[in-house]
Amino acid sequence: MLMRHAATALVGLLLLCATTLAPFSTAYAADEPVINQALGADPSVEYADLVKFGPWDDRNYQLTAADVAVLPAEDYFVRGVPAFFKVQKRREMAAQGFPLDRYYPRELDKEFKFRFGGLLIDGELQRTGLGVYTHPDPKNPPPKMLLATAGQSKAVPVEGEGPFDGTQSDNETNIIFNPVNPNLVIAGSNGAGGQRHAYSSDGGVTWNSSGALPDSCCDPAMEWSPDGAIAYTATLGTQGGSCGGGFCNKIYWSINNGQTWLGPVSVSTASSDKEFIHVDKSPSSPFLGRLYTTWHQGNVMQFARCNYNTGTNALVCDPSQSFTGEERGIGSDITTDPAGNVYYAWPTTTDGSNEIRVRVSTDGGTTFGASVAAYNLHGDFDFPVPSMESRRAFIYVAAAADLSGGANNGRVYLVLTDKHPSSPAGGGGSAAANHAWVRVVYSDDQGATWTTATTPHSVADVATVDRYHPWIDVDGVGNVHVGFYDTRHSNNRTGVDWYYVYSPDGGTTWIEETRVSAIVSQNINDGQEWGDYNGLSASVGSTIAMTWTDNRIGVGAANPTQASYAGRVTNIGLGPSFSVSASGNNNLNICAGDPLPAIALNVVGFQGFADSVTFTTPGLNAAIFPTAAFSPNPVTPTPGGAASTLSVSTAANAPSGTYMLPIRATGGTPDPIVRNLTSTVTVFADDPGSTALLLPVDEATDQSTRPMLTWDATTDAASYTIEIATDDQFANIVDSGTSDTPSYQPSAALLTETEYFWRVRASNTCGIGTYSETRSFTTGAVLCFSGPVTIPDNNATGGSGTLAVANAGVIQDLDVSVSVTHTWPGDLSLRLRHNSSNTQVTLASRLGGNGCSTDDVEATFSDEGGTAITCRAQVPGIGGTLTPTGALTAFDGLAFASGWTMTVVDSAGADVGTLDEFCLLGTLGPETVIFKNGFEGATP
């Protein structure tokens, strides 16, 4: 329980309480919290009544009557957000100049978990969601996170429809195709540790996870530059700026198609929510390539514009604009028309005003005209329906414009969820009484007036089917594509499927709804249910991809599991068109004066496209690339593809640097279709210099059998060659390899208690540098327990083996290898205990996930250089060097001499196995002796 304190500054008290009570259990309190009035700071406050504002939290005891008075009389219950944080948030927003009106930010619950970890109930911190990572339990730390800025990835296959980031993502998704290459697509979602990202190079058939953006929360927004060379993403996060303690609108960029992300830049001036981004891709726009972003601060709509600086490879944003004179709102979006006019749309939340309003800028976002009403809402902000009774169906806007040059060229579309008129008006009404439908509106006169399109789904069944949370895109020939949740296959409107429709005539008629999800998603009453929004994108080829939050019950499972799904359908409305792709590496290295490797281009025709396509290299730097020729040129696309080859020379005196190689394909009449590709070329003017080694230091001892070797990055290095030998003349090389980064880890374990020598040299396409100095290191001792020990089936006690260690020394670092024979590793958890101190570390819980059924475990657990624990398709199912669930640094500073016990617990029935071996590799330091005079010294 919290101690009672005299009332003082609220934030200071909260921080004091949060720091004096750690650590806490990760489990939820089993019973209702006991609210003790005597613990409150102000006897005039009825603390038990504070649960009407949100769930109980012990930090509510610090609230005084003056604090509670900050909450308006009509304040509503916010799931997952206690009263003390609502008071704090209102004061913070007021201090930042954006006081909250009726409604709180949609992601306030996630911000609370990010900042405070979770609810504090009866003295125990209930860590959930983002709180598991931002306030980790030292007794049960979360698994190591894969970061989207770190250059790692893991593959997730998707065929037709399925999770695009494994089970690491949970809700609120976005997706967008590369505008010139239909094979490249990026996606984002809220998930484990923050906003997660994934990328695909085969049009969404298979995916790779980039992991989470550091210090991020949620609300993914994805975009590309017009030439497809740069990917963008926006997130709510804290890195690089506090925004008054809340989340900033932060924008990242990627130059490798979403594999890794650079940045960020922050465009916020105060705590932010519900951001989104859009890039002007119209070739006829004077603002081609400009990025626009929207968000709100205290429900005041915000806007900023950014441009990518190719010289510095960075995004540069102008100061943000605040629409303080406009009605407030949450859930905005931006799009641009062929002329580059900017359309900024949002649903209002101001009292007495339930509308979709739009502002238009004709000068690239410098100034905006006054807003106009595009649609009058029957609902208000959000409302409950049976499948979304806790999070509530959210009224937001998604925007898109027709850039096709066709019959509806320039038409601007908005799609949204609204209450059907048969429902009670406003945000109230019971879930059973409310009915949700999807609305589409459009403007043909640059936003001056708006027309409601035909409803994109049946309305005859509106009493028994809810449809909500849509997204929209317009393809290259003007077809309008919309996806949304649909409850028709569930019981009493409690579950959802993802449905897709398209209109070939600007919203007048809609092709019959298509079910994209294969299994009905179940309602998960976790405060999120299906999050707030989804994604849909039309490729330049023949594919429409969409993303949604899916809560289906998987095969063989008893309960639903939440994951972010992607699905693909063929764009049957696509007219004659073509796509262009380039084979090989988009990032080329070359020595000045040498020609580039031939670039093979493939042009695929769709829907009977039969016109010729001509290649050019607009804007090519002739001082670096004197000649560029395509052969043949032009070509006539076919469904199987027509080939052309680009040959490019480089100047002998070209300076070292990175340069863009633009490729444009133009074809079709009377309105030509233009496709753009960009390759990055790194030119080297000379051989690289010598390499300076860093770690291990020369003659280091007690090193791991797989040490991480590091060195300084070498000027003009494209890659490095590493050699490890047992002699300083390198006559007996035992390991060698190459690396693109200044680090290397041996591919297999070296021998124990053996001296090794290592050296590195850099190379590029001009030549090879000289070898570095030679250094040596000596590996440490490995001590092993040999079994087998039977692992009891479905038994919480588990099977254990104990190794007695007599070696003197204090642990400076410890790695552990484990060998287990078992037919379902996903049933197993591993714990290692240092018996003398009773220090215990969980190496893994349910190895590779509950469903990991590939036999056996042959793995080394290391805090350094390990990868995330994942289930492999080949035996052993769990293998390689892995990052343990609990940090092995818990053993640092302990005496190595001790009994060491490995326990393997099988948490499910039907599969059995044995613990065959575990080994300890300790890097040791001298023991410390305490002398009688109180002075310390090292053991001789």
Side-chain angles (χ1 to χ4, degrees):
M1 286 292 187
L2 290 171
M3 299 298 293
R4 182 175 180 179
H5 301 280
T8 132
L10 177 64
V11 175
L13 281 168
L14 298 177
L15 293 175
L16 173 63
C17 295
T19 54
T20 56
L21 287 168
F24 299 107
S25 165
T26 59
Y28 278 102
D31 302 313
E32 290 295 321
V34 177
I35 302 175
N36 187 342
Q37 179 70 18
L39 295 176
D42 187 342
S44 68
V45 176
E46 289 294 328
Y47 289 93
D49 290 344
L50 298 180
V51 295
K52 69 183 179 183
F53 301 116
W56 178 256
D57 188 293
D58 289 353
R59 288 164 286 205
N60 286 344
Y61 287 129
Q62 309 310 314
L63 295 175
T64 66
D67 298 325
V68 178
V70 171
L71 301 177
E74 71 275 18
D75 198 66
Y76 58 97
F77 184 95
V78 177
R79 187 179 177 92
V81 181
F84 88 85
F85 188 61
K86 295 173 82 174
V87 171
Q88 179 176 338
K89 189 64 181 176
R90 285 188 173 274
R91 284 181 166 160
E92 287 177 349
M93 295 305 298
Q96 294 169 30
F98 297 92
L100 289 171
D101 60 3
R102 291 184 297 162
Y103 295 116
Y104 292 91
R106 289 292 291 182
E107 306 300 5
L108 190 65
D109 57 336
K110 296 183 179 68
E111 182 180 336
F112 170 68
K113 293 173 184 176
F114 190 97
R115 295 174 66 175
F116 288 94
L119 297 173
L120 185 64
I121 301 176
D122 294 336
E124 293 189 355
L125 184 61
Q126 317 297 334
R127 298 173 177 86
T128 58
L130 290 169
V132 173
Y133 281 89
T134 57
H135 294 73
D137 184 351
K139 295 182 179 179
N140 186 29
K144 185 177 179 181
M145 231 190 334
L146 181 70
L147 293 179
T149 54
Q152 307 171 72
S153 66
K154 66 177 183 179
V156 181
V158 173
E159 291 291 345
E161 60 96 54
F164 64 77
D165 195 13
T167 56
Q168 297 297 310
S169 300
D170 48 32
N171 59 71
E172 300 183 3
T173 64
N174 192 232
I175 187 170
I176 188 165
F177 277 100
N178 185 291
V180 298
N181 187 342
N183 291 320
L184 301 178
V185 58
I186 53 177
S189 58
N190 302 347
Q195 183 170 303
R196 300 182 62 84
H197 288 270
Y199 62 94
S200 173
S201 58
D202 57 9
V205 177
T206 59
W207 290 87
N208 284 275
S209 171
S210 302
L213 293 172
D215 300 313
S216 66
C217 161
C218 40
D219 288 2
M222 322 292 292
E223 258 289 21
W224 293 90
S225 62
D227 62 2
I230 307 162
Y232 300 102
T233 186
T235 184
L236 298 177
T238 61
Q239 187 182 42
S242 65
C243 285
F247 294 133
C248 301
N249 176 5
K250 315 198 77 62
I251 304 175
Y252 290 76
W253 57 94
S254 172
I255 57 176
N256 57 8
N257 303 319
Q259 298 178 46
T260 56
W261 294 90
L262 305 173
V265 294
S266 177
V267 295
S268 300
T269 60
S271 182
S272 309
D273 183 47
K274 272 286 169 278
E275 91 295 348
F276 219 78
I277 56 176
H278 171 78
V279 171
D280 186 334
K281 301 186 187 70
S282 171
S284 58
S285 168
F287 313 109
L288 177 68
R290 180 169 292 177
L291 181 147
Y292 302 105
T293 179
T294 172
W295 71 101
H296 77 91
Q297 295 172 180
N299 302 342
V300 177
M301 305 315 300
Q302 308 290 312
F303 171 83
R305 56 183 189 171
C306 309
N307 291 285
Y308 191 81
N309 187 321
T310 56
T312 60
N313 289 322
L315 191 67
V316 180
C317 299
D318 294 336
S320 63
Q321 300 181 40
S322 183
F323 295 167
T324 54
E326 286 286 349
E327 294 184 44
R328 296 187 176 193
I330 300 176
S332 54
D333 197 10
I334 292 174
T335 193
T336 52
D337 67 14
N341 297 317
V342 182
Y343 298 82
Y344 186 114
W346 76 99
T348 62
T349 60
T350 307
D351 283 331
S353 171
N354 300 325
E355 302 167 317
I356 304 299
R357 299 198 71 83
V358 180
R359 297 189 76 179
V360 180
S361 172
T362 59
D363 55 10
T366 301
T367 60
F368 282 83
S371 69
V372 300
Y375 177 86
N376 290 318
L377 292 163
H378 188 70
D380 179 16
F381 183 54
D382 64 14
F383 57 96
V385 290
S387 60
M388 197 76 166
E389 76 281 7
S390 297
R391 184 77 178 177
R392 299 164 62 97
F394 180 37
I395 298 175
Y396 63 80
V397 177
D402 188 332
L403 307 181
S404 68
N408 296 310
N409 186 55
R411 178 172 288 185
V412 178
Y413 297 89
L414 308 177
V415 67
L416 60 130
T417 300
D418 194 15
K419 276 187 176 185
H420 188 266
S422 61
S423 311
S430 68
N434 288 325
H435 303 277
W437 65 337
V438 172
R439 311 298 282 149
V440 176
V441 298
Y442 63 85
S443 174
D444 287 325
D445 55 8
Q446 291 78 52
T449 61
W450 293 83
T451 302
T452 300
T454 305
T455 304
H457 54 73
S458 171
V459 294
D461 57 2
V462 71
T464 57
V465 179
D466 292 313
R467 298 170 175 93
Y468 57 93
H469 287 188
W471 208 258
I472 191 171
D473 200 8
V474 181
D475 66 24
V477 298
N479 295 310
V480 184
H481 304 270
V482 174
F484 48 81
Y485 285 136
D486 183 298
T487 66
R488 74 181 68 179
H489 297 292
S490 69
N491 183 27
N492 296 322
R493 299 191 285 151
T494 57
V496 302
D497 278 283
W498 182 257
Y499 266 75
Y500 158 80
V501 297
Y502 90 95
S503 173
D505 54 10
T508 301
T509 58
W510 297 89
I511 304 302
E512 181 64 28
E513 297 112 272
T514 300
R515 184 186 184 186
V516 181
S517 54
I519 299 174
V520 175
S521 280
Q522 308 298 309
N523 184 296
I524 298 179
N525 190 16
D526 63 350
Q528 290 295 315
E529 290 168 314
W530 284 280
D532 287 339
Y533 54 81
N534 304 290
L536 181 147
S537 180
S539 78
V540 71
S542 58
T543 302
I544 308 295
M546 51 213 84
T547 56
W548 66 92
T549 299
D550 199 289
N551 299 340
R552 71 184 61 184
I553 299 176
V555 177
N559 298 306
T561 299
Q562 191 168 84
S564 295
Y565 268 56
R568 296 173 293 111
V569 300
T570 299
N571 186 356
I572 61 174
L574 190 67
S577 184
F578 69 90
S579 68
V580 179
S581 61
S583 63
N585 194 344
N586 286 333
N587 299 294
L588 304 172
N589 296 327
I590 199 70
C591 186
D594 292 342
L596 295 182
I599 298 174
L601 301 167
N602 190 47
V603 187
V604 177
F606 300 105
Q607 303 293 318
F609 185 93
D611 292 334
S612 64
V613 171
T614 301
F615 291 103
T616 56
T617 54
L620 185 68
N621 188 334
I624 306 300
F625 307 110
T627 63
F630 298 89
S631 179
N633 190 22
V635 299
T636 300
T638 67
S644 181
T645 301
L646 171 60
S647 301
V648 181
S649 66
T650 64
N653 61 348
S656 295
T658 299
Y659 306 93
M660 297 297 108
L661 175 60
I663 303 171
R664 176 171 295 173
T666 305
T669 56
D671 297 312
I673 299 171
V674 178
R675 306 294 186 218
N676 294 288
L677 299 176
T678 301
S679 292
T680 300
V681 181
T682 301
V683 176
F684 297 102
D686 203 350
D687 298 348
S690 181
T691 302
L693 306 183
L694 292 178
L695 294 174
V697 299
D698 197 21
E699 299 183 348
T701 58
D702 289 321
Q703 296 299 295
S704 166
T705 54
R706 293 191 69 228
M708 183 62 69
L709 309 178
T710 63
W711 54 91
D712 276 330
T714 305
T715 302
D716 277 345
S719 64
Y720 302 91
T721 299
I722 305 94
E723 293 181 343
I724 303 173
T726 55
D727 66 297
D728 60 5
Q729 299 301 307
F730 292 85
N732 183 32
I733 296 174
V734 297
D735 189 284
S736 63
T738 60
S739 175
D740 295 333
T741 61
S743 65
Y744 178 76
Q745 188 175 36
S747 56
L750 304 173
L751 298 175
T752 61
E753 299 183 283
T754 301
E755 183 179 24
Y756 290 96
F757 299 85
W758 66 292
R759 62 185 182 182
V760 179
R761 66 179 177 184
S763 62
N764 61 31
T765 53
C766 293
I768 300 173
T770 59
Y771 271 114
S772 66
E773 63 173 327
T774 296
R775 284 189 178 180
S776 71
F777 62 87
T778 302
T779 54
V782 177
L783 302 174
C784 297
F785 165 87
S786 296
V789 173
T790 299
I791 304 170
D793 194 32
N794 195 20
N795 183 292
T797 301
S800 299
T802 299
L803 171 67
V805 175
N807 299 53
V810 172
I811 300 170
Q812 294 180 342
D813 184 65
L814 184 70
D815 292 345
V816 182
S817 65
V818 182
S819 177
V820 174
T821 299
H822 198 276
T823 51
W824 199 288
D827 292 349
L828 304 181
S829 300
L830 308 177
R831 299 193 303 266
L832 178 65
R833 185 175 72 245
H834 180 269
N835 297 340
S836 297
S837 66
N838 200 33
T839 300
Q840 182 170 279
V841 169
T842 298
L843 300 179
S845 297
R846 302 301 290 258
L847 281 156
N850 297 1
C852 183
S853 59
T854 308
D855 292 355
D856 303 339
V857 179
E858 293 285 347
T860 297
F861 294 89
S862 173
D863 290 336
E864 304 81 25
T867 60
I869 302 171
T870 55
C871 188
R872 308 192 306 181
Q874 73 274 22
V875 176
I878 305 296
T881 301
L882 308 175
T883 302
T885 299
L888 290 166
T889 52
F891 298 124
D892 290 359
L894 300 178
F896 195 37
S898 172
W900 293 82
T901 298
M902 178 70 68
T903 300
V904 186
V905 175
D906 185 333
S907 299
D911 289 272
V912 296
T914 57
L915 168 63
D916 300 323
E917 181 183 75
F918 75 89
C919 300
L920 307 177
L921 171 61
T923 300
L924 308 178
E927 296 186 59
T928 300
V929 178
I930 307 298
F931 294 95
K932 291 182 180 181
N933 61 6
F935 293 97
E936 297 182 0
T939 302

